[in-house]
Amino acid sequence: MTSAVQAHPAADHTELRSVVRGALILGVIQTLLVFGFALASRALEGTPELLVRSLIVLFGVAITTLLPGILTRPRTVEGIAGAAGIGLAATVVFLVLDIAILQPLGTYTNRWLEIGGGSNWWYHPVWWMVGTFLPWMGAFALSNQANRSGASPVVVLLLALVFSGVFGALGVLVGVPLAGWNLATFAVAFLPAIALTAVITGLGTKRA
């Protein structure tokens, strides 16, 4: 799963301008999705709420995982690191927009505050880690594909979703604490799922 060290001229786009632009785009999209998720939680109930929230989470996971790699076109560790950098910088963009807009608007419910012991700040460290991990693994998988037969973001996403379903179901069946047949469980399961996807796509890869 290790990429070659030498960058390719037509790939590994990690110029500072490109990284900053990608981070701004991704950070704004994430902010809009979080706001939309909050609105759906307040305005909808039952099946419509679950459907809308599921679509928002699916799109958010997909765009966070794949967009940085699509922008950097990773073939080596250079492009993979660039994608992770876009993800990390995007979390900073979200932090700024969250402080300036979302929190003052009262976006989050009392339950959100209760989880954090009366504070909104608990989720930012989690956001930094997840927002960096997903693009890193997504870029790894795209790099593995590119070094073999051509990168396909759709294939990467489908593989990760299948593995997420498997891990989520296993978590429920074996009795992992707090696991259940719900959106949160399968969203968390996407973390090991994208890591496994990166491993699977690297099997048999020919190095440049």
Side-chain angles (χ1 to χ4, degrees):
M1 197 169 66
T2 304
S3 296
V5 174
Q6 296 297 322
H8 293 252
D12 296 314
H13 299 298
T14 57
E15 303 85 359
L16 180 59
R17 180 181 299 178
S18 298
V19 171
V20 171
R21 181 172 61 248
L24 288 172
I25 293 172
L26 181 57
V28 170
I29 292 174
Q30 290 172 339
T31 302
L32 292 174
L33 291 174
V34 168
F35 186 63
F37 190 92
L39 287 180
S41 300
R42 293 174 183 271
L44 301 174
E45 293 181 358
T47 301
E49 178 188 5
L50 178 61
L51 178 60
V52 172
R53 291 173 63 183
S54 297
L55 290 175
I56 291 174
V57 169
L58 176 60
F59 182 75
V61 165
I63 201 74
T64 299
T65 303
L66 298 173
L67 180 60
I70 291 173
L71 294 176
T72 62
R73 299 182 63 188
R75 289 289 298 274
T76 72
V77 293
E78 174 76 14
I80 295 171
I86 289 175
L88 177 59
T91 67
V92 176
V93 174
F94 172 79
L95 168 64
V96 173
L97 294 176
D98 184 47
I99 295 171
I101 301 174
L102 296 188
Q103 290 189 25
L105 285 176
T107 299
Y108 307 107
T109 64
N110 290 332
R111 178 179 296 181
W112 199 251
L113 290 172
E114 291 169 2
I115 294 174
S119 171
N120 276 325
W121 300 104
W122 64 271
Y123 58 87
H124 281 292
V126 177
W127 193 272
W128 298 334
M129 290 184 285
V130 173
T132 305
F133 179 77
L134 292 181
W136 176 33
M137 290 295 101
F140 236 130
L142 291 174
S143 172
N144 290 333
Q145 287 185 325
N147 284 318
R148 183 171 56 189
S149 59
S152 174
V154 173
V155 172
V156 170
L157 180 61
L158 289 177
L159 280 174
L161 289 176
V162 169
F163 293 144
S164 180
V166 172
F167 285 140
L170 285 175
V172 175
L173 294 176
V174 302
V176 174
L178 302 181
W181 301 104
N182 52 52
L183 180 60
T185 295
F186 290 95
V188 172
F190 190 84
L191 296 174
I194 188 61
L196 180 59
T197 299
V199 173
I200 295 297
T201 54
L203 297 178
T205 300
K206 294 181 179 180
R207 300 301 164 196

